[in-house]
């Protein structure tokens, strides 16, 4: 396990990321949002960086929510710590910048939309050890390529995903707005997250069908583990309707899904691909589970990321969330191939 000792180089890293990609200016109001079980060093590093940048900073600390009686929540991007408390949302929305250091983050949280709607911008810092954040910090160049990928999604009518293992997935993109981010949150109402480097979208209802063939070496980030056996997911009208596989990986997935007794847990959340050439597929093996949140594995260049759970475009919410980065897939938008056998193509290459 890595030590949480404060390192000057990490303060430099936080100052660089918050200052450049969030463009925090002297005199702006910045709130650091955390909870009682947040990783303390991330809170302290954020405070140091904001002090250097001259922001007027205050803390909002909330109690971590009760443990879910159904099943543990891990690596979901859906903090439940705000609990819909109106006065708390108002306090966050009134700031210029929110540095989100909650355990799970505000990415899929119900309160996120209200906070952004009033012009606050959010930087969600994933619950990772600072060494991971130092290793692959965001860049303006990567952000620009992610934005371009999002434009390609928005312009397309359909996404098609295939693999030699048997993946054959179709996504209707009509009317869908793509999203691309590498940590930048410099405009009012923008949200960035660190680490990052993804192009994705949240499909609308009745738009996803086909087969996902998860192979050994693909990842299930709810469990923070590499798959060691084949898992075949059948997707009908947005929902996982069958989980085929005789190994432990399929058994774990079936058990966790079933525990929620929530049909929307099986529905698609978001789909997309990784863009970050500095992120490593194999790095998960180097860290204790306490030291990482799997965000690097969501972003490694050329992976296809399929997720289940909360989806604001489809007006569905479930606390159950699976992120399933897959290697060696091909992704096409209409007739344009953006990922070929796990490798970025064309203008998306760095």
């Amino acid at each position: 396990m890595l030590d949480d000792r404060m390192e000057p180089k990490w303060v430099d890293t936080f100052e660089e990321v918050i200052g450049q990609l969030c463009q925090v200016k002297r005199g702006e109001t910045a709130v650091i949002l955390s909870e009682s079980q947040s990783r303390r060093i991330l809170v302290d590093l954020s405070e140091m960086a904001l002090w250097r940048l001259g922001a007027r900073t205050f803390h909002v600390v909330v109690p971590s929510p009760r443990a879910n009686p159904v099943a543990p929540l891990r690596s979901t991007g859906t903090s439940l710590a705000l609990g819909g408390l109106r006065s708390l949302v108002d306090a966050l929305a009134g700031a210029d910048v929110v540095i989100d250091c909650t355990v799970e983050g505000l990415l899929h949280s119900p309160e996120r939309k209200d906070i952004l709607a009033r012009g606050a911008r959010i930087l969600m810092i994933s619950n990772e050890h600072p060494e991971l954040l130092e290793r692959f910090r965001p860049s303006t160049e990567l952000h620009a390529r992610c934005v371009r990928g999002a434009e390609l999604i928005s312009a397309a009518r359909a996404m098609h995903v295939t693999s030699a293992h048997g993946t054959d997935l179709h996504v209707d993109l009509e009317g869908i707005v793509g999203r691309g981010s590498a940590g930048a949150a410099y405009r009012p109402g923008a949200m960035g997250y660190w680490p990052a480097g993804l192009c994705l979208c949240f499909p609308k209802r009745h738009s996803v069908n086909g087969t996902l063939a998860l192979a050994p070496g693909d990842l299930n980030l709810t469990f923070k583990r590499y798959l060691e056996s084949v898992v075949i997911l059948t997707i009908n009208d947005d929902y996982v309707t069958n989980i085929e596989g005789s190994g432990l990986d399929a058994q774990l997935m079936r058990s966790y899904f079933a525990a929620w007794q929530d049909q929307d847990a099986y529905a698609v959340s978001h789909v997309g691909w990784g863009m970050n050439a500095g992120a490593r597929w194999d790095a998960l093996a180097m860290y204790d589970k306490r030291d990482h949140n799997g965000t690097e594995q969501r972003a490694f260049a050329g992976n296809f990321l399929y997720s289940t759970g909360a989806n604001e475009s489809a007006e569905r919410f479930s606390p159950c969330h699976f992120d399933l980065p897959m290697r060696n897939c091909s992704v096409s938008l209409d007739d344009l191939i953006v990922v070929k056998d796990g490798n970025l193509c064309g203008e998306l290459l760095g």
Side-chain angles (χ1 to χ4, degrees):
M1 185 171 67
L2 296 169
D3 191 6
D4 283 351
R5 176 187 182 277
M6 179 75 74
E7 299 280 358
K9 62 180 180 176
W10 293 337
V11 181
D12 292 342
T13 299
F14 272 60
E15 181 184 10
E16 175 186 332
V17 171
I18 295 174
Q20 292 184 8
L21 291 183
C22 294
Q23 296 183 9
V24 173
K25 298 176 177 62
R26 182 170 296 278
E28 282 195 305
T29 302
V31 54
I32 301 171
L33 173 65
S34 64
E35 57 185 277
S36 53
Q37 285 296 313
S38 288
R39 194 183 296 264
R40 184 68 204 182
I41 193 168
L42 300 183
V43 176
D44 293 342
L45 287 167
S46 298
E47 182 180 39
M48 291 281 191
L50 290 166
W51 181 84
R52 284 187 179 182
L53 291 165
R56 301 182 63 186
T57 304
F58 64 99
H59 291 267
V60 170
V61 185
V62 295
S64 291
R66 292 178 181 273
N68 194 290
V70 174
L73 287 171
R74 294 291 185 273
S75 196
T76 66
T78 306
S79 175
L80 303 177
L82 274 62
L85 187 62
R86 187 72 251 170
S87 57
L88 176 55
V89 172
D90 289 343
L92 298 173
D96 295 307
V97 182
V98 177
I99 306 299
D100 174 18
C101 294
T102 57
V103 174
E104 290 295 330
L106 297 177
L107 185 61
H108 302 305
S109 293
E111 300 87 359
R112 176 186 60 84
K113 186 175 181 180
D114 287 343
I115 295 169
L116 296 176
R118 285 171 47 184
R121 55 198 197 272
I122 299 174
L123 175 64
M124 181 182 118
I125 301 177
S126 183
N127 186 21
E128 318 272 354
H129 191 276
E131 181 185 282
L132 285 91
L133 300 172
E134 176 194 8
R135 279 185 37 244
F136 59 112
R137 67 195 71 180
S139 71
T140 53
E141 183 275 333
L142 175 59
H143 180 70
R145 288 193 293 113
C146 290
V147 169
R148 178 54 183 152
E151 292 171 348
L152 294 175
I153 293 173
S154 298
R157 298 183 305 277
M159 177 187 293
H160 186 206
V161 186
T162 59
S163 76
H165 296 290
T167 291
D168 187 8
L169 188 74
H170 296 266
V171 183
D172 180 2
L173 297 179
E174 291 283 357
I176 291 299
V177 177
R179 302 184 184 185
S181 176
Y186 48 79
R187 293 189 303 273
M191 179 166 186
Y193 40 93
W194 175 28
L198 285 166
C199 301
L200 55 82
C201 66
F202 291 80
K204 62 183 184 296
R205 289 177 179 268
H206 313 300
S207 59
V208 183
N209 292 276
T211 301
L212 284 179
L214 299 164
D218 294 339
L219 296 111
N220 184 326
L221 293 178
T222 297
F223 302 138
K224 298 184 182 181
R225 61 180 273 143
Y226 295 101
L227 272 68
E228 298 183 3
S229 55
V230 174
V231 179
I232 307 295
L233 303 182
T234 302
I235 316 295
N236 285 315
D237 197 24
D238 300 349
Y239 289 81
V240 175
T241 57
N242 190 47
I243 303 170
E244 181 182 347
S246 58
L248 176 61
D249 298 302
Q251 295 175 39
L252 284 169
M253 188 175 289
R254 285 192 289 261
S255 175
Y256 193 78
F257 265 135
W260 294 93
Q261 299 183 27
D262 177 7
Q263 186 63 22
D264 283 343
Y266 293 85
V268 63
S269 175
H270 53 81
V271 296
W273 64 87
M275 293 284 292
N276 195 330
R280 295 195 59 89
W281 157 76
D282 57 8
L284 195 75
M286 310 298 178
Y287 295 97
D288 293 334
K289 286 189 176 183
R290 181 189 181 278
D291 290 329
H292 74 85
N293 206 30
T295 310
E296 178 171 7
Q297 285 65 49
R298 292 168 173 85
F300 72 87
N303 88 79
F304 172 66
L305 178 63
Y306 188 88
S307 302
T308 63
N311 181 341
E312 62 186 55
S313 295
E315 299 181 333
R316 291 189 297 256
F317 179 79
S318 174
C320 177
H321 187 74
F322 278 107
D323 277 332
L324 306 168
M326 301 169 62
R327 301 184 301 151
N328 305 318
C329 291
S330 295
V331 182
S332 61
L333 302 175
D334 297 336
D335 296 327
L336 177 67
I337 299 174
V338 292
V339 178
K340 179 66 173 177
D341 298 329
N343 298 293
L344 296 174
C345 297
E347 60 184 301
L348 298 184
L349 283 168

